[in-house]
Amino acid sequence: MKTVSVPALIASLSILLLPHAFGQGALTPPPGPPVPTMKSLQEIWDKVGALETRATVLETQNTQLQTANSQLQRQLGLLTSATVNFAWVASTVSLGVNPSLAFGPDGQPAIAFNGLQLARFDGATWAVTAVPGASGSFPSLAFGPDGYPAIAYLGPSGRLYFARFDGTAWSVTLVETQNSVGLPSLAFGPNGLPGIAYNGNTSYILKYAAFDGSAWTNTSMSDPIGVKSGPALAIGPDNRPAIVYRADRLGAAGEAVVLARVNAGTWTTSVVANAGTVTNGPAAIAFGPDGQPAVAYGNNQTQRLYVGRFNGTVWTPSTVSVTQTSERLSLAFGLDGQPALAYTTLAYDLLLARYTGSLDGPAWVSTVVDSAGDVGFNSSLAFGPDGQPAIAYGTYGSAPDYAPASIKFARKGVFKPLP
């Protein structure tokens, strides 16, 4: 057996342990008393208590913020509620006649009028521009699903045209080659495609032009009811167009308010107002949240305004006003799901009637929008994204020729407009 001396053994162990000894650092403790490297139990509990207190404060602040947010949301809801009776603020937009109002995707109003002119509001002022390559009258304005405006109007010789903006330029298309057609009414369906209702002034036949994405197709109604006033168009949630108009029931049964709807390519008509009544002026149409149409019309015999609601089977009329209108009606549904009607009295005051649904009080409540002079001609009603109604309308100028006429815009709003 080989023996190893003690000094050699120590030397060998020193070589083996040398790296580990250096890795531990200096073996000599630093001067002074030892410094504790662990927290005491009391210090830990103190820290936990401080954290719990901070968490309680944060939770309280969060609860307060949630409460404040709920209050702000409630106040905002009250401010934008369709039932809040704010004062009307009216202003003059431009010289012109025959306005058509619609709200753009930016939430701001736009008005098309004779010329062919388009006025757009930027939140502070109105900017009026002429539609390039277009000249005409009786415009009907609507915004397409792309967010850009489109206008149906009567051009030279009373022919029907369609102008549309694509974000860069306007394009103008001749829709109907017949001269002297009736007032057009434009609407976009849920499928994003436009349709236009109109009539031939010489033949008094109701017509409808539909765009399929590439071309227009014109259809004439087969029902032999003479159209006595410009038709009004609305397209239902089922994508079926509905057209209301004042019709001549071939003279024998007097006049009536008639609704035409298409189903599987076939047009059918139904009488909204009882045959034998004499109505005054064009009717108006809008679809309610139930997906059924509502129609507004006047009656010269009773000197009253009515709104008829369809439940899928029958029409039920309700009396809006006992004062007959003298100008075109405009019907729309508010965010509360109830109908509203803009109309003009025989004294040429502009009023707005809103349906309350009340069983105890009046079902309809009318308020004066503007009574400064002769106003309210060809009123056009629309609801803004804030739930408040807005109306574009015309005024008469001075006698004897009652010119120049102007376009005005009235709106109920939360905030006063900028000066």
Side-chain angles (χ1 to χ4, degrees), residues 26-27 34 48 66 72 84 101 107 116 121 131 151 198 210 220 232 247 250 259 269 277 312 326 338 342 373 414:
L27 297 178
V48 171
Q66 289 179 348
L72 288 174
V84 176
L101 170 67
L116 192 67
F121 191 66
V131 177
I151 307 173
Y198 62 104
S220 298
L250 302 181
L259 181 75
T269 59
T277 60
S326 62
Q338 301 296 353
V414 177

Side-chain angles (χ1 to χ4, degrees), residues 2 23 53 81 86 92 153 223 256 266 268 312:
K2 186 177 180 179
T53 301
S81 171
F86 293 105
T92 299
Y153 65 98
D223 193 321
T266 301
T268 60

Side-chain angles (χ1 to χ4, degrees), residues 2 7 34 67 81 95 132 147 168 174 198 214 270 289 332 347 357 372 385 389 404:
K2 186 177 180 179
T67 301
S81 171
L95 294 178
T168 303
L174 176 62
Y198 62 104
S214 59
S270 61

